[in-house]
Amino acid sequence: MTTEAIKQLENDLWAAADNLRANTDLKSTEYATPVLGLIFLKFADNNYRRAEKAINDEFARVSGTRMEMPISQIAISKCGFYLPDHARYDYLLNLPEQEDVAKRIKEAMQDIEKYKPELEGVLPKDEYAPLTRTDKTIPSQLLKNFSNIPRDASGDMLGKIYEFFLGKFALAEGQGGGAFFTPTSVVKVMVEMIEPYKGTVYDPACGSGGMFVQSQHFVEQHRAELDALGEEHEEDQLFVYGQEKTLDTVKLAKMNLAVNGLRGEIKQANSYAEDPFDGFGKFDYVMANPPFNVDDVPIATIESDLRFNTYGIPRNKGKVKKGEEGKETVPNANYLWINLFATSLKEKGRAALVMANSASDARHSEADIRQSLIENNLIYGMLTLPSNMFYTVTLPATLWFFDKAKSNDKILFIDARNIFTQIDRAHREFSEEQIQNIAIISKLHRGNRKAFVRLIERYFERGMELLIENETQVMPVSTQLLSVLDDEAGKLAVGDLVKQWSALDKLQSLYQAHRKRDTKLKSDTEIDGLNRAQHILREAFDPFFLSLHAGLKQLDKIVRAHEKLKAEAAQKEGKRAMADREIKKLKDALEQLHKEVKTAESFYRHIHWLQERFPEARYEDVTGLCKLATPDEVKEQDYSLNPGRYVGVVIEEDGKTEEEFIAEIVDLNGQLEELNKFSKNIEQIIHNNIHELIGE
């Protein structure tokens, strides 16, 4: 399935499942676990189905011999699960109406756990009976809903669906949702920055395990890219360690790991008081989104723990009052988490954590800890996030990055507050391209120029693919236009549109010639050559998009004028100004073409954004975006780690001349006047129709 098809499937599955929730008396928190359990069951069944022939063949081969073994043992060795007939998805899906489906699902989950001990007590079982309190058919309807997931859907696809549902439940739950889910786009930025290629990954506040899943996806994507380039890579897998204080969330995380095929351990533990993995200096990578601003952790719990006292303990200002000895708590646990990250890393380890903005400038004992971390050269970088990125509160947050193998003593500051995609009124996220554009800043800083030019190559490739797809729609839209716009101006505008698109052939030839370059990139000279060629190629596309947008705008104006003339003619004849179906179809087709052209152009805009800021394909400070600060510069700012203090502010120009700006305002004003007139006509028609109906 394509990415778009998977997204559509996710949305359809969510809409159906959420619609069923309206027929229950359950909250999102109560509904989430049984629904996610069924996604897990579908995953297990798909896995089993793929291996079923091999399982049966092996069982037949060894039956009656000295090598004979139970089919369950063979199944677990082949696909990780054994599903008896009554635990198969189709069996549950096709149960008669009179059956107690909730009970049968419970029995299926019990059997999966029976043959896979590491899932014992994890899968939802008793959670299905409450679904039937108001409507006994809800479990059956949910089974039917998730049967729309294709039988050949891979673990990767089901993992994405599982993560998608986790995010939706977190969003539906509101403030409480952030306790178990960090938005995927934020996690991706963290992963892309620390690049966990192999080894151990630790999350001391793991929630539903999203950090682990995205780490695995990063490794798989990286290997796929190297395979495509014919380059060698290591095959080692990640091994993950997670702890979470809430048992229900631990269960979600264990299911998430199983669905995504991850190796690791998740344990229920309070990170302040318990260290189930003996984690001091143990892990290659550490990532987490811990709770912010906790203020009730007893000093006595953590003061003798090396995980928390190595760089200093956050304490209240002033002396402890009489009678309060031994009862003192930390003023804020943010720096306990920061300490935990620094001390959990191996000698060359890297870490990424989400933290409240206030921690970057916190004073008193916290400032002393921060100074110690900086002077020990542990802080690799700081990245300010846009507001409204989380499902909990709008509290602004910053990403902290640690690297125990830094090549210098400078700190990379990135201000990403103005880089985001609005998903609804109250929430934002990073698009995939925005994630890559942010991460490439770090890669350039590490000297990975090859990653920069290869990212631009991927943008060229995707942009060209979309333009070729768009071109196939131009002739059908042109034919539609000519059937409606029969005047000379209309025919001329349509002819111009076709002519503008014909320029794509030349650009395609330029792109194909560009692709023949050697991309092994074994030296800086070769990278410089490819970078220059990329600049030239991108500049060749600029006039194409300018003329295309101008032509589409002209067609929009002609269609609106044509619609206005038809409305006026109808009014003169005393007829209702009914919307013309052909014009509506035409406007829809034009709007779709506009949208798709903008989508294709967005990849060239990303290329322009990167080339404008890093023209030599080398890291450089960019005002308002990034700054590599020296220890003296950080000391001068009293050891603040707030990126805004370092990167500066830039006033972005819109790139328009005064004449272009005025012309756009005049055009928009003309559209407004036309819409106002049309609105008045509709208002009068409604008024007349109502009076006609009531006989006045």
Side-chain angles (χ1 to χ4, degrees), residues 374-610:
I374 292 167
E375 289 176 346
N376 279 279
N377 203 24
L378 291 171
I379 307 293
Y380 168 77
M382 303 288 293
L383 187 153
T384 308
L385 292 168
S387 58
N388 298 345
M389 294 289 282
F390 295 88
Y391 299 150
T392 49
V393 290
T394 57
L395 191 70
T398 298
L399 301 182
W400 292 52
F401 298 97
F402 296 77
D403 188 346
K404 283 195 167 183
K406 284 175 67 177
S407 59
N408 57 50
D409 58 3
K410 295 179 180 179
I411 297 175
L412 176 64
F413 291 95
I414 300 174
D415 189 342
R417 285 177 294 178
N418 296 319
I419 303 172
F420 59 83
T421 299
Q422 198 78 32
I423 51 175
D424 59 40
R425 187 182 58 81
H427 299 96
R428 295 166 170 172
E429 67 179 9
F430 293 125
S431 69
E432 187 59 40
E433 292 72 39
Q434 288 166 338
I435 292 166
Q436 297 303 322
N437 294 351
I438 292 168
I440 206 68
I441 299 170
S442 172
K443 288 170 185 168
L444 281 176
H445 165 49
R446 293 185 192 277
N448 191 355
R449 300 179 68 211
K450 195 184 291 189
F452 181 87
V453 291
R454 282 180 172 169
L455 176 61
I456 286 180
E457 284 297 292
R458 291 205 301 274
Y459 287 164
F460 272 125
E461 182 180 7
R462 187 68 185 122
M464 182 54 76
E465 284 173 358
L466 290 172
L467 282 173
I468 292 168
E469 285 177 24
N470 296 164
E471 189 179 24
T472 61
Q473 298 176 42
V474 173
M475 287 314 295
V477 172
S478 300
T479 305
Q480 272 184 276
L481 284 163
L482 289 171
S483 68
V484 176
L485 305 175
D486 49 7
D487 60 341
E488 198 58 40
K491 289 176 182 176
L492 188 62
V494 173
D496 284 345
L497 177 68
V498 174
K499 186 178 176 183
Q500 284 148 8
W501 272 99
S502 67
L504 184 61
D505 293 340
K506 183 181 176 183
L507 292 173
Q508 210 173 338
S509 298
L510 286 173
Y511 173 65
Q512 292 303 329
H514 172 84
R515 287 191 67 184
K516 291 177 182 175
R517 298 181 62 92
D518 180 17
T519 54
K520 294 294 182 187
L521 306 174
K522 294 176 182 175
S523 68
D524 268 0
T525 304
E526 290 179 358
I527 292 171
D528 288 335
L530 179 56
N531 181 51
R532 283 192 297 273
Q534 288 173 336
H535 276 266
I536 293 166
L537 183 60
R538 196 267 307 156
E539 286 165 8
F541 277 86
D542 290 348
F544 171 73
F545 285 113
L546 282 172
S547 65
L548 204 55
H549 285 305
L552 286 168
K553 276 186 180 178
Q554 182 62 23
L555 273 170
D556 284 340
K557 287 175 76 172
I558 289 169
V559 170
R560 286 198 305 272
H562 184 80
E563 188 177 29
K564 181 183 174 184
L565 285 171
K566 291 201 79 171
E568 288 172 353
Q571 191 176 15
K572 283 179 184 176
E573 293 174 17
K575 296 178 182 177
R576 293 183 188 179
M578 300 292 286
D580 188 299
R581 286 185 183 178
E582 287 302 314
I583 288 182
K584 186 178 184 310
K585 280 170 64 179
L586 189 57
K587 286 170 77 175
D588 289 346
L590 266 176
E591 187 180 340
Q592 186 64 23
L593 191 55
H594 265 297
K595 184 180 174 183
E596 290 175 355
V597 167
K598 283 180 180 175
T599 301
E601 187 186 16
S602 70
F603 287 94
Y604 296 91
R605 287 184 181 275
H606 288 303
I607 293 169
H608 190 279
W609 190 90
L610 289 168

Side-chain angles (χ1 to χ4, degrees), residues 12 67 101 119 130 150 157 172 185 232 246 250 259 286 292 329 338 351-352 383 480 483 505 541 562 565 636 652 667:
D12 291 346
M67 297 168 62
V101 177
L119 289 176
M157 184 195 292
S185 71
E232 293 182 0
T246 308
V250 169
V259 167
V286 182
F292 298 168
T329 61
I338 291 167
L383 187 153
Q480 272 184 276
S483 68
D505 293 340
F541 277 86
H562 184 80
L565 285 171
E636 191 179 318
E652 296 268 355
D667 182 49

Side-chain angles (χ1 to χ4, degrees), residues 139-157:
S140 297
Q141 291 184 67
L142 282 171
L143 283 164
K144 186 177 180 182
N145 180 36
F146 292 117
S147 70
N148 291 325
I149 298 173
R151 289 183 174 186
D152 60 351
S154 64
D156 182 51
M157 184 195 292

Side-chain angles (χ1 to χ4, degrees), residues 37-86:
L38 290 182
I39 295 175
F40 174 85
L41 185 60
K42 188 71 170 80
F43 154 77
D45 192 79
N46 278 18
N47 253 22
Y48 195 82
R49 185 182 299 278
R50 275 193 294 275
E52 193 165 15
K53 185 178 185 303
I55 292 167
N56 291 335
D57 288 350
E58 179 72 3
F59 182 63
R61 188 179 69 81
V62 300
S63 291
T65 71
R66 293 172 62 188
M67 297 168 62
E68 186 170 2
M69 64 181 79
I71 192 169
S72 58
Q73 194 174 332
I74 296 169
I76 289 166
S77 70
K78 296 285 185 186
C79 75
F81 296 96
Y82 172 59
L83 300 184
D85 289 344
H86 61 271

